[in-house]
Amino acid sequence: METTLLVGTRKGLLILREAADEGAWRVEGPLCAAWPINHAIADAEGTIWAGGGNAWFGPAVWRLRDGAWTHSSDGLSYGEGRDPVTSVWCLAKGPGGLYAGVEPAGLFVSRDDGESWSEVRGLSDHPSRPDWQPGGGGLILHHVLPHPDDPARIWIAISTAGVFHSGDGGESWEPRNRGTRIDYAPEGQQYPEVGQCVHALAMGGGSPDRLYQQNHFGMFRSDDGGEAWESIEAGLPSTFGFPAVGHPRDRDTLFLFPLNGDQAGRFAPEGRAAVWRTRDGGASWQDLRGGLPQENAFLTVLRQAMAVDGRDPAGVYFGSTSGALFASRDEGESWRAIARDLPSIASVEVVPA
């Protein structure tokens, strides 16, 4: 079975296709006119969407269908008198439509597969909106998790505001941050309703209400759709990191790439690359290093730059800001580099088989 990866980079979208012998990978691109691409996804019918842009290019979502690339920013705007949308940070396809998370933080939905977009005003007009603050990467909505079966339910993550949930298709939203902390806040104010710097949000395989969160200040798990969170960081080398991805079938298995901490360079601890895996919902963790560089490997892996496929055992993939792309065929037990010297990698996703 051939695997195809979508790799968003600062110099356009790359498509990597595995040869039939599962050895070599061929690289196509850069595509999307070499626009900066923050995230790309695909559906089972073969359509690809790639979101990106910046303050110079503006925001857009590119689409590949029937062999032709087009892009649209129709509707990707907050309108006159409000801050301009500068870029698309994430994409997600769900029963309710195609979603785009943008900077400054907001959510847009397309009901026509990306031809046009409309703002989800229920989130933009949330009473907490004046209190949202930019993190190191800006004020961004970087994860959208639609419920796989219920079009009314959606989770989103904003840095820095936290996790929000809608149970009515985006008409209204509630913060879901109880139990996640802000370490630098004054004593007694470390667990606010809104203001958490969430870095990644992942859904447990086969269990939509099992959520995982890599936060600026730790790793957390929720068993009730984010109503409450508990810390699961014990055993990890740091409380800091960006990507977190769930196993496609097992809700208790999660993969991370921890970094060495805030204000410390944000690279693999001790310059030794490792993916960390839990098999028991975060009760314990194992570092997986086989085949990864263990000397002077000052790798940084961003929040969208890790993915899993649907194989059995599952394949795991991640890319670094230094342009290296790694793959595992055995759920992280062993790794090999499948590409190097690529542009800085912002995202990795697997095309559904």
Side-chain angles (χ1 to χ4, degrees), residues 68-95:
W69 282 100
T70 59
H71 73 85
S72 175
S73 58
D74 181 18
L76 283 173
S77 170
Y78 288 132
E80 195 166 342
R82 300 166 68 195
D83 290 339
V85 175
T86 58
S87 63
V88 173
W89 268 80
C90 70
L91 297 167
K93 188 97 185 302

Side-chain angles (χ1 to χ4, degrees), residues 267-273 292-300 322 340:
F267 49 75
E270 301 177 343
R272 301 175 61 227
L292 295 176
Q294 296 301 294
E295 289 187 33
N296 302 319
F298 302 109
L299 302 180
T300 300
S322 51
R340 294 189 184 274

Side-chain angles (χ1 to χ4, degrees), residues 40-124:
I41 62 172
D43 65 14
E45 285 70 49
T47 301
I48 296 174
W49 294 271
N54 57 27
W56 174 259
F57 286 93
V61 176
W62 293 76
R63 185 179 68 186
L64 175 65
R65 176 176 286 174
D66 299 327
W69 282 100
T70 59
H71 73 85
S72 175
S73 58
D74 181 18
L76 283 173
S77 170
Y78 288 132
E80 195 166 342
R82 300 166 68 195
D83 290 339
V85 175
T86 58
S87 63
V88 173
W89 268 80
C90 70
L91 297 167
K93 188 97 185 302
L98 179 67
Y99 295 94
V102 304
E103 179 185 9
L107 184 64
F108 287 77
V109 64
S110 174
R111 311 292 186 189
D112 53 16
D113 278 348
E115 293 281 353
S116 62
W117 300 86
S118 58
E119 181 184 2
V120 179
R121 289 299 301 252
L123 182 63
S124 300

Side-chain angles (χ1 to χ4, degrees), residues 202 212 214 219 232-247 252-261 267-290 292-294 297 299 301 306-308 316-318 326 328 330-335:
Y212 295 94
Q214 172 67 71
M219 266 304 302
I232 57 170
E233 65 208 43
L236 290 169
S238 78
T239 59
F240 190 94
F242 287 112
V245 295
H247 190 279
D252 290 327
T253 296
L254 186 78
F255 303 92
L256 307 177
F257 194 99
L259 302 178
N260 64 334
F267 49 75
E270 301 177 343
R272 301 175 61 227
V275 170
W276 290 70
R277 182 185 67 198
T278 181
R279 293 289 201 189
D280 51 19
S284 63
W285 296 91
Q286 178 186 7
D287 56 326
L288 308 171
R289 302 178 183 272
L292 295 176
Q294 296 301 294
L299 302 180
V301 181
M306 181 179 284
V308 297
V316 189
Y317 311 86
F318 73 89
F326 294 88
S328 170
D330 50 16
E331 304 195 357
E333 294 293 332
S334 61
W335 297 88

Side-chain angles (χ1 to χ4, degrees), residues 20 24 39 88 113 125 140 165 193 215 243 245 252 266-267 284 306 311 315 327 342 348:
H39 192 212
V88 173
D113 278 348
D125 295 338
I140 56 175
H165 173 263
E193 183 180 50
N215 192 283
V245 295
D252 290 327
R266 301 186 179 182
F267 49 75
S284 63
M306 181 179 284
R311 293 179 182 233
L342 302 178
V348 178

